[in-house]
Amino acid sequence: MFPMKALPQSLAHKLAIRMQHNALRQLPSANQWIDFASNDYLGFSKNETLFKTTHEYLVELGILENGATGSRLLSGNHPLYPLTEAFIADFHESPSALLFNSGYDANVGFFSAVPQKGDFILFDELCHASIRDGIQLSNAKGYKFKHNDFEDLELLIERCHTELSRGNLHNEIYIVTESVFSMDGDCPNLEELVQVTTKHNCYLVIDEAHALGVFGEKGEGLVQFLGLQEHFFARIVTFGKGLGCHGAVVLGSEELSSYLVNFARSFIYTTGLSPHSVATIGIAYKALDAKEAAIGELKERIIFFNQEKSRFSLKPLFVRSKSAIQSAIIPGNANVKAIAKQLQDKGFDVKPILSPTVPAGQERLRFCLHSYNTEAQISEVLYALSSCL
């Protein structure tokens, strides 16, 4: 063993508190359980055809490099970038698409760079940590509104307009939400939200991380499924869920892309994605564009899961959701961990979500559905849950 300086007492104390609350995070080991935990909704991460097609595509183009070699502004903007961004922009019916290394990088880069001093950012209280971190790095003022409560949002907008009028300022208001919330799996009423933001002349921004591959005929996301894309200033779409790979894209105007290239620090100061990563993104998008059969299979599994919730009298436990994320509220870290352990012992990979990841009293079992889950597996895991309870 190599001697190391001890952890500072203040940090050790924080870890001890986590242990006392039964909330200490630890990295899980690999397992062979039936998957109800991963975000690989369409099974793309395990798709051998996509893997082979990506390799063949790279060989066909004569691209054999393992890395990008630098940031995109230096040496890392290899030829696959503009090809893939153009395809994604066309797929999402957007003037422009700018690739980032991850959804976290995209959200931090966007929200730290776009809203300016004197601007307001009004965000749903359940927005992802990456959005919150980007807002904290911004010079704008950030305020949260109650989850999917647009009356509360309008009150905040009116307060912001009042403050701007008093100072005779010409600043902007950005409204931020998600199309599918990662812990509840529910969706906002986007038609109503568009009406509110149009009425008050605000800039509307949405994170579609958990909607890609889930909503729409081609899995294009909830915004396009509803035909509302022209009303959004920016859509942030990540690839680590339905696309089964890595990276993210900011969809918006060409001017927005140019601005982010110049001012988003998480874009400017990082090595670009490797050619293999960008090729995987492009090939996965082409599978969506070809109406991959897994999209329809996933929709069938979501419908069946909701039907089985009712059959086993479990519906009152679950947050209402028509997405691939289904959460059963089971308060108490110890309680939800114990039930998750019973399901895991029966061979089901179901993860407990503990406080402080969610508020105390809102601890839950989070079921992620996939195109490759069978109806029998869904029935069995819900029967097991009802037995545990």
Side-chain angles (χ1 to χ4, degrees):
M1 294 289 292
F2 297 100
M4 294 291 294
K5 192 172 179 65
L7 195 68
Q9 188 174 355
S10 59
L11 305 187
H13 179 65
K14 292 178 75 173
L15 279 177
I17 291 174
R18 279 285 168 91
M19 293 181 70
Q20 290 169 13
H21 288 89
N22 208 3
L24 186 68
R25 296 184 176 104
Q26 294 177 297
L27 294 175
S29 302
N31 62 70
Q32 298 299 316
W33 299 329
I34 296 169
D35 184 8
F36 284 102
S38 81
N39 293 324
D40 187 23
Y41 303 132
L42 300 176
F44 277 14
S45 77
K46 308 175 185 71
N47 189 302
E48 189 176 340
T49 299
L50 293 182
F51 182 88
K52 290 179 178 178
T53 304
T54 299
H55 177 73
E56 291 165 1
Y57 179 55
L58 288 166
V59 172
E60 180 184 326
L61 292 177
I63 299 175
L64 305 177
E65 291 86 1
N66 292 318
T69 75
S71 74
R72 290 188 65 182
L73 286 167
L74 295 177
S75 60
N77 197 43
H78 49 77
L80 279 177
Y81 264 116
L83 289 173
T84 306
E85 285 171 336
F87 188 92
I88 292 172
D90 184 64
F91 179 89
H92 284 295
E93 299 178 9
S94 172
S96 181
L98 185 68
L99 284 168
F100 280 73
N101 284 19
S102 70
Y104 193 96
D105 283 337
N107 276 327
V108 168
F110 179 92
F111 289 105
S112 64
V114 173
Q116 301 295 293
K117 186 175 182 180
D119 290 345
F120 293 93
I121 310 170
L122 308 182
F123 61 98
D124 190 291
E125 64 182 345
L126 297 189
C127 276
H128 193 265
S130 58
I131 294 173
R132 291 168 171 265
D133 288 352
I135 291 171
Q136 283 189 330
L137 291 170
S138 169
N139 289 319
K141 296 178 181 178
Y143 299 104
K144 61 186 177 184
F145 58 89
K146 295 176 185 176
H147 180 51
N148 288 339
D149 186 338
F150 301 142
E151 289 183 6
D152 188 47
L153 172 60
E154 280 210 84
L155 290 174
L156 278 175
I157 293 172
E158 288 165 5
R159 282 171 50 190
C160 294
H161 277 309
T162 300
E163 187 171 333
L164 290 171
S165 62
R166 284 175 181 167
N168 196 28
L169 301 173
H170 298 285
N171 293 95
E172 311 298 345
I173 300 173
Y174 293 88
I175 311 299
V176 187
T177 191
E178 301 180 15
S179 51
V180 178
F181 285 88
S182 60
M183 289 295 112
D184 283 16
D186 60 344
C187 305
N189 184 331
L190 292 185
E191 293 97 335
E192 182 182 350
L193 181 58
V194 164
Q195 290 176 1
V196 171
T197 53
T198 301
K199 172 184 173 183
H200 294 283
N201 194 29
C202 302
Y203 286 85
L204 188 51
V205 181
I206 193 164
D207 185 313
E208 290 233 84
H210 291 276
L212 182 66
V214 179
F215 289 96
E217 186 180 354
K218 296 182 179 181
E220 59 268 28
L222 187 59
V223 171
Q224 268 177 276
F225 175 62
L226 298 173
L228 299 173
Q229 53 269 29
E230 66 183 56
H231 298 283
F232 285 81
F233 175 64
R235 287 176 281 162
I236 299 164
V237 183
T238 68
F239 309 141
K241 284 78 177 176
L243 223 59
C245 49
H246 199 68
V249 70
V250 176
L251 304 168
S253 66
E254 292 181 3
E255 292 81 5
L256 175 60
S257 289
S258 177
Y259 181 86
L260 292 170
V261 167
N262 280 274
F263 294 100
R265 294 169 70 86
S266 64
F267 177 91
I268 299 166
Y269 298 109
T270 189
T271 299
L273 290 167
S274 70
H276 190 277
S277 292
V278 179
T280 302
I281 294 166
I283 295 300
Y285 258 105
K286 288 175 182 176
L288 292 184
D289 196 48
K291 300 181 183 178
E292 168 67 37
I295 299 169
E297 292 167 356
L298 175 62
K299 291 173 182 175
E300 291 172 4
R301 301 302 179 271
I302 293 169
I303 292 169
F304 185 76
F305 190 95
N306 278 304
Q307 291 170 342
E308 291 294 89
K309 283 191 307 191
S310 297
R311 187 166 76 90
F312 287 107
S313 302
L314 293 169
K315 192 172 181 179
L317 278 181
F318 281 83
V319 179
R320 186 177 184 275
S321 168
K322 294 185 178 180
S323 76
I325 299 169
Q326 304 281 334
S327 291
I329 305 300
I330 300 175
N333 280 350
N335 192 25
V336 75
K337 285 176 75 174
I339 294 175
K341 178 66 165 56
Q342 291 180 60
L343 294 178
Q344 291 163 5
D345 288 343
K346 294 178 185 294
F348 299 106
D349 193 6
V350 179
K351 293 294 193 293
I353 307 297
L354 313 176
S355 59
T357 300
V358 293
Q362 291 291 308
E363 295 83 4
R364 64 199 58 198
L365 293 175
R366 182 173 181 261
F367 295 80
C368 291
L369 305 181
H370 313 91
S371 60
Y372 51 84
N373 288 134
T374 66
E375 291 188 353
Q377 290 170 350
I378 290 171
S379 297
E380 288 165 8
V381 75
L382 289 177
Y383 173 75
L385 175 60
S386 66
S387 301
C388 293
L389 295 173

